[in-house]
Amino acid sequence: MNITSQIKQPIFKEMELFEKKFYESMSSKVALLNRITYYIVNRKGKQMRPMFVFLTAKMVSAGIVNERTYRGASVIELIHTATLVHDDVVDDSNRRRGFFSINALWKNKIAVLVGDYLLSKGLLLSIDYGDFDLLRIISVAVREMSEGELLQIEKARRLDISEEVYYEIIRKKTATLIAACCALGAKSVIEDEVQVENMRNFGTLIGMAFQIKDDLFDYTDDAIGKPTGIDIKEQKMTLPLIHVLNNCTPKEKSWLINSIKNHNKDKKRVKEVIAFVKDNNGLVYAEQKMAQFQQEALQLLDNYPKSEFKDALILMVNYVIERKK
């Protein structure tokens, strides 16, 4: 049994029912929209975010989920899908998980409108059932994701990024949605704000580790979803590079910045940058930081009694930093 199946095992029934409810939540009277949403549903990823929702809900409530939990998981997945559709337009990307992206098949105009439709469907699903507490959690995440992306674009133009700013970018861009999954899972079944906040912090920490792992892939030759060196080509400042930039000589720093600004399409130069970052402990440093976030996340689970849901969350935390793609 692969690791994703192991994580899913305690929530297998919930995930099956969720898929049905999620597909229903996308339905429209417009045939073109239904064709596109059918395409999306049949090319789904690992569905980590709904898994976080169900596992946290069950862990904090001794195994209980309710209709609010299902709606929360659907809203999260609708909004996550909307952001992926919009991201592919922003990045001018023709592929998503090995398949053609929506913008590649139906062009940018339709992709933007589909993303908007999914976003509004998610918000309405919460409003229609009066889940305003869940809607607040999700709306904060949407706002922060937009801010994180714009902050990254702003900093990429100037290449003047500190480690603190990098953490702020990844907290907003990636970690905030995983934090919302965990807070929302807890909030759907319990009223205890301390526990909800605890789960939000847990999600934030695991999201930070997740993004650092993603950034490390740019420096490895493993068979992953994105080509090596792509962050450098796109002038994205990630932790391995930031650490090296802040700890090398002025001459090396100006060579690095010049390489990223003016030679980021030169394959040989990109390889030299990757080698320089590796040789100057950029990867080792980022791996240490990633492990630190992972350990802090695991500590937040210490106070919960042993259960199959807690075990699955621990497995999920470890999978995030051990995954190969």
Side-chain angles (χ1 to χ4, degrees):
M1 191 190 292
N2 71 20
I3 194 152
T4 318
S5 305
Q6 278 177 269
I7 295 165
K8 244 183 210 180
Q9 211 171 8
I11 50 165
F12 186 76
K13 283 204 301 237
E14 285 81 6
M15 288 300 291
E16 280 208 316
L17 184 54
F18 158 74
E19 287 197 18
K20 190 166 160 279
K21 286 176 183 280
F22 176 58
Y23 185 51
E24 283 167 6
S25 70
M26 281 190 179
S27 68
S28 156
K29 290 189 174 74
V30 179
L32 173 62
L33 253 174
N34 284 336
R35 230 176 25 250
I36 296 170
T37 54
Y38 181 78
Y39 179 83
I40 290 168
V41 167
N42 283 295
R43 279 148 193 83
K44 63 182 184 294
K46 297 184 193 77
Q47 295 187 309
M48 272 177 67
R49 285 154 193 85
M51 282 155 69
F52 271 121
V53 174
F54 289 114
L55 286 170
T56 44
K58 288 191 132 191
M59 183 186 72
V60 301
S61 68
I64 296 164
V65 294
N66 55 30
E67 282 303 314
R68 268 163 59 85
T69 319
Y70 284 102
R71 287 196 296 272
S74 291
V75 172
I76 286 279
E77 196 66 350
L78 281 163
I79 285 170
H80 175 56
T81 309
T83 61
L84 294 183
V85 171
H86 282 162
D87 279 354
D88 288 337
V89 175
V90 170
D91 297 339
D92 204 12
S93 173
N94 291 325
R95 291 269 169 179
R96 167 70 60 184
R97 298 178 186 129
F99 297 99
F100 283 115
S101 58
I102 304 300
N103 49 305
L105 292 172
W106 284 280
K107 303 288 179 265
N108 282 352
K109 194 176 188 175
I110 288 176
V112 170
L113 293 169
V114 168
D116 291 347
Y117 172 78
L118 295 172
L119 191 62
S120 67
K121 272 291 204 182
L123 302 177
L124 282 168
L125 186 59
S126 295
I127 292 166
D128 288 347
Y129 290 92
D131 299 328
F132 298 112
D133 51 346
L134 306 186
L135 184 59
R136 173 175 283 280
I137 291 170
I138 291 153
S139 301
V140 168
V142 173
R143 184 197 72 205
E144 292 205 320
M145 285 157 72
S146 308
E147 285 177 350
E149 288 288 354
L150 287 163
L151 182 59
Q152 184 170 47
I153 290 166
E154 179 194 324
K155 293 298 176 183
R157 285 181 180 158
R158 298 210 301 268
L159 300 183
D160 62 340
I161 186 164
S162 66
E163 211 170 300
E164 286 67 35
V165 170
Y166 166 79
Y167 291 137
E168 180 70 353
I169 289 170
I170 68 168
R171 186 189 66 74
K172 288 186 164 181
K173 200 180 80 149
T174 304
T176 191
L177 191 61
I178 298 176
C181 295
C182 299
L184 191 143
K187 186 73 175 168
S188 71
V189 289
I190 59 168
E191 281 300 316
D192 183 345
E193 285 301 330
V194 174
Q195 285 203 65
V196 172
E197 193 53 34
N198 193 47
M199 285 294 97
R200 186 200 299 279
N201 291 336
F202 167 77
T204 300
L205 290 163
I206 196 57
M208 302 287 277
F210 182 91
Q211 186 58 54
I212 295 172
K213 179 68 174 180
D214 243 25
D215 293 346
L216 282 162
F217 282 140
D218 206 47
Y219 292 89
T220 56
D221 303 320
D222 295 342
I224 52 159
K226 62 177 192 174
T228 312
I230 199 147
D231 287 342
I232 294 165
K233 289 177 191 128
E234 291 176 1
Q235 300 188 7
K236 279 184 188 162
M237 305 292 282
T238 60
L239 189 55
L241 182 60
I242 292 162
H243 175 70
V244 171
L245 269 172
N246 293 335
N247 289 280
C248 61
T249 66
K251 191 180 173 189
E252 288 166 335
K253 187 171 182 174
S254 79
W255 174 79
L256 273 172
I257 288 174
N258 181 36
S259 302
I260 296 155
K261 263 192 173 164
N262 305 313
H263 305 281
N264 57 352
K265 302 286 187 283
D266 177 343
K267 283 182 182 170
K268 184 171 172 284
R269 190 73 167 255
V270 169
K271 271 187 179 170
E272 285 169 6
V273 170
I274 290 171
F276 186 82
V277 170
K278 282 181 180 174
D279 293 343
N280 287 270
N281 293 330
L283 272 61
V284 173
Y285 181 79
E287 279 163 4
Q288 285 169 349
K289 286 290 176 186
M290 177 177 71
Q292 204 176 313
F293 284 122
Q294 176 213 21
Q295 288 311 311
E296 285 177 33
L298 288 171
Q299 279 166 12
L300 292 179
L301 300 182
D302 283 349
N303 296 332
Y304 293 93
K306 188 170 169 55
S307 69
E308 57 180 335
F309 317 114
K310 180 179 172 178
D311 289 344
L313 275 173
I314 291 168
L315 204 56
M316 185 94 113
V317 171
N318 294 329
Y319 165 70
V320 158
I321 75 161
E322 286 160 13
R323 66 199 163 99
K324 297 285 182 275
K325 61 177 179 177

